[in-house]
């Protein structure tokens, strides 16, 4: 674990665990996995994904269509409502995803910080200093 003196950001992850951004690396501690350490020299890109409003509107449209179709076919209307609610819940759960692309890795490191904006700002400020 990095020293407190070099830590730029300390925060919790929404699904458990902690993230620490220091002046030279990112340390991710997840309860189910081992600790992941990424040196800042290997970071290619950092993006913060906000909620996908298009999917939210489409999912709520499914709910509305299902509710409007209750009189025609109750079973089919219920399936539309359930599908729309599940899609809305999954889309909401993926909000604030922080993606850290690392050189040499095929897929980015995907995290869900409790305060995604503060974590992203801290990471961007450390990366811009290099």
């Amino acid at each position: 674990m990095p020293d407190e003196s070099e830590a730029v950001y300390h925060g919790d992850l929404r699904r458990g665990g902690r993230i620490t951004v220091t002046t030279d690396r990112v340390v991710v501690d997840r309860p189910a996995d081992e600790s992941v350490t990424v040196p800042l020299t290997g970071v290619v890109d950092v993006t913060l994904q906000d909620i996908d409003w298009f999917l939210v509107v489409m999912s709520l449209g499914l709910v509305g269509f299902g509710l409007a179709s209750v009189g025609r076919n109750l079973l089919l209307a219920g399936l539309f409502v359930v599908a729309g609610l599940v899609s809305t819940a999954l889309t909401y759960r993926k909000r604030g995803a922080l993606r850290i692309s690392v050189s040499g890795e095929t897929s980015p490191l995907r995290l869900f910080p409790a305060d995604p904006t503060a974590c992203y700002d801290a990471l961007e400020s450390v990366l811009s200093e290099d």
Side-chain angles (χ1 to χ4, degrees):
M1 192 59 139
D3 296 333
E4 291 295 323
S5 61
E6 65 181 18
V8 176
Y9 175 82
H10 252 13
D12 293 326
L13 299 175
R14 280 197 323 243
R15 298 178 185 169
R18 300 207 28 92
I19 181 171
T20 303
V21 178
T22 68
T23 54
D24 60 344
R25 65 183 171 253
V26 177
V27 180
V28 179
D29 292 316
R30 294 182 182 155
D33 301 334
E34 66 278 349
S35 177
V36 177
T37 302
V38 177
L40 291 181
T41 56
V43 174
V44 177
D45 186 36
V46 177
T47 58
L48 180 61
Q49 177 185 349
D50 195 18
I51 193 163
D52 190 348
W53 288 107
F54 178 75
L55 278 178
V56 170
V57 169
M58 292 297 291
S59 299
L60 293 176
L62 279 176
V63 172
F65 180 77
L67 291 175
S69 302
V70 168
R72 293 184 179 194
N73 186 340
L74 185 61
L75 178 62
L76 191 59
L79 289 175
F80 273 104
V81 169
V82 168
L85 291 174
V86 168
S87 179
T88 302
L90 290 176
T91 302
Y92 180 75
R93 186 175 177 201
K94 293 179 184 178
R95 78 197 183 287
L98 182 69
R99 294 175 188 252
I100 303 172
S101 299
V102 181
S103 63
E105 296 292 325
T106 56
S107 61
L109 181 62
R110 189 171 177 201
L111 308 169
F112 296 93
D115 187 359
T117 306
C119 184
Y120 176 77
D121 290 343
L123 196 51
E124 279 294 315
S125 70
V126 171
L127 287 173
S128 66
E129 291 175 2
D130 292 338

